[in-house]
Amino acid sequence: MSFDYIMSILKPMLEGAQSTVLLFIIAIVLSIPLGFLLTLAIRSSIKPVAWLASCYVYIMRGTPLLLQLLFICFGLPMIPGIGEYLVLDRFVAAALGFILNYAAYFAEIFRGGLLAIDKGQFEASQVLGLNKWQTTTRVVLPQMFRIALPAVANESVTLVKDTALLYAVAVPELLHFAQTAVNRDFTIVPFFIAGIIYLIMTLLLTALFKWLEHRFKFE
């Protein structure tokens, strides 16, 4: 396999990787705060809010991401009466599906982080005269995010790999261009190159989270 051939397929695959990276950034930036809001809703003293948030997390975690993507891309436009207003661009629809799905997972991660905080720290905050807002922002949230950081890192790596599902809803991305090259040239080299690109992306992401863990002195 010549170097020229590798370079010829590498360019379109890197263009596809741009869609992968863009989807990852959109999904991670929006799903983390949405997941945190869901955590607060689940722990809300208003029972209907807590119940609805819990049901949402259960449904999104209990059904395949691929099914959710197919429903948003192809199912919503088929709803009688309002379907014509729910026709979204494929990439936008896929990004929406990833955000809604991963927010549910991040909600559970943050909930676990909150449960891991010793209740004695709440009592200590009251003794020190901190009000509820100060206790939340200065004591609870920093510890929760630090505890949740390894799980968030793991979920983020999974998100990078899940972006390959864009292929199933006909959004051109890295795997799409690799499959096209394989079908056209009858060689599995594009699959190896796609694998290397995914490994590089996950390696960089892992290094970033390792730096964050070290930055916040997580042990």
Side-chain angles (χ1 to χ4, degrees):
M1 192 58 61
S2 68
F3 178 75
D4 290 338
Y5 172 74
I6 293 176
M7 293 305 296
S8 67
I9 63 173
L10 187 58
K11 182 179 179 181
M13 291 177 68
L14 288 177
E15 291 176 355
Q18 292 178 7
S19 297
T20 299
V21 173
L22 180 60
L23 175 67
F24 171 80
I25 293 174
I26 293 173
I28 202 75
V29 167
L30 296 180
S31 62
I32 285 181
L34 180 58
F36 180 65
L37 292 177
L38 281 170
T39 302
L40 297 180
I42 291 172
R43 294 172 59 86
S44 172
S45 58
I46 304 174
K47 294 303 179 184
V49 173
W51 183 81
L52 285 174
S54 297
C55 285
Y56 173 82
V57 171
Y58 175 75
I59 292 171
M60 299 307 289
R61 293 178 67 223
T63 54
L65 174 58
L66 178 58
L67 175 62
Q68 296 163 16
L69 294 177
L70 292 174
F71 177 77
I72 295 174
C73 290
F74 307 113
L76 289 181
M78 299 175 67
I79 296 177
I82 60 173
E84 60 181 304
Y85 304 106
L86 300 176
V87 180
L88 303 174
D89 175 82
R90 293 287 174 82
F91 183 86
V92 173
L96 178 62
F98 273 87
I99 293 167
L100 296 177
N101 179 274
Y102 270 84
Y105 285 93
F106 285 127
E108 283 297 282
I109 290 173
F110 293 144
R111 190 173 69 87
L114 285 176
L115 293 175
I117 298 175
D118 193 322
K119 291 183 179 179
Q121 298 202 29
F122 293 91
E123 298 170 357
S125 299
Q126 291 179 342
V127 172
L128 292 174
L130 299 179
N131 58 36
K132 190 173 182 179
W133 171 255
Q134 291 172 324
T135 301
T136 300
T137 57
R138 297 183 184 181
V139 179
V140 176
L141 292 185
Q143 292 188 72
M144 183 204 74
F145 282 114
R146 196 168 63 174
I147 293 171
L149 194 53
V152 171
N154 184 59
E155 203 63 32
S156 300
V157 170
T158 302
L159 172 58
V160 172
K161 294 180 289 184
D162 277 354
T163 56
L165 292 174
L166 285 175
Y167 180 77
V169 292
V171 176
E173 46 76 62
L174 174 57
L175 189 60
H176 164 81
F177 288 105
Q179 180 68 59
T180 300
V182 169
N183 293 339
R184 183 191 61 224
D185 304 328
F186 298 103
T187 172
I188 59 172
V189 170
F191 283 154
F192 283 107
I193 295 177
I196 292 172
I197 294 175
Y198 278 116
L199 285 173
I200 292 173
M201 288 191 289
T202 56
L203 177 64
L204 293 175
L205 190 60
T206 301
L208 173 62
F209 277 102
K210 287 291 184 185
W211 177 81
L212 287 175
E213 291 178 13
H214 179 73
R215 176 70 176 77
F216 292 103
K217 298 179 180 178
F218 183 87
E219 296 179 356

